[in-house]
């Protein structure tokens, strides 16, 4: 019969290892199901070379294909004026600290 400390460790670590193994198996099965369910993208393919030397493959799809993949083509496109980022402050404004408040007498 093993000592009491060994039995306690067995009672703690065996269920933990079983739980983490079960979670890893479930994650693997979900990833495999997602791979099988992913639609094959068919369309015109273009390869672009970025300034840093990397190549990026871009596939053009129709609006119907985008909807089938779960995207809403009406929400895509260039940002409107409301979505555009605010202009950067002028250089002289960003260097000066804000004025100190006047002391109350």
């Amino acid at each position: 019969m093993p000592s009491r400390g060994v039995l306690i460790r067995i009672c703690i670590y065996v269920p933990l290892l079983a739980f983490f193994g079960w979670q890893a198996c479930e994650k693997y099965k979900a990833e495999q199901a997602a791979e099988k369910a992913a639609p094959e993208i068919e369309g015109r393919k273009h390869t672009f070379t970025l300034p840093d030397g990397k190549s990026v493959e871009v596939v053009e799809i129709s609006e119907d294909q985008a909807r089938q993949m779960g995207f809403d083509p009406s929400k895509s496109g260039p940002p409107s004026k409301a979505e555009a980022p605010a202009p950067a402050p002028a250089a002289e404004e960003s260097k000066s600290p804000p004025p100190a408040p006047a002391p109350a007498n």
Side-chain angles (χ1 to χ4, degrees):
M1 185 83 178
S3 68
R4 186 174 177 195
V6 172
L7 288 175
I8 291 172
R9 285 180 180 92
I10 289 173
C11 289
I12 292 172
Y13 292 118
V14 169
L16 281 174
L17 290 174
F19 175 75
F20 290 128
W22 174 68
Q23 288 292 326
C25 189
E26 290 293 318
K27 183 178 178 181
Y28 174 77
K29 287 179 185 177
E31 288 174 356
Q32 293 300 317
E35 260 184 37
K36 289 180 182 178
E40 184 65 31
I41 301 174
E42 296 179 8
R44 280 191 283 170
K45 296 182 181 183
H46 303 281
T47 304
F48 294 101
T49 304
L50 301 176
D52 62 355
K54 294 181 183 177
S55 294
V56 178
E57 185 177 64
V58 177
V59 180
E60 291 182 22
I61 60 173
S62 67
E63 289 184 10
D64 294 333
Q65 288 173 322
R67 284 189 188 93
Q68 289 174 355
M69 294 173 68
F71 297 106
D72 188 9
S74 63
K75 293 184 179 179
S76 65
S80 64
K81 291 194 183 275
E83 296 174 357
E92 62 225 19
E93 291 177 11
S94 63
K95 291 182 181 178
S96 62
N105 289 338

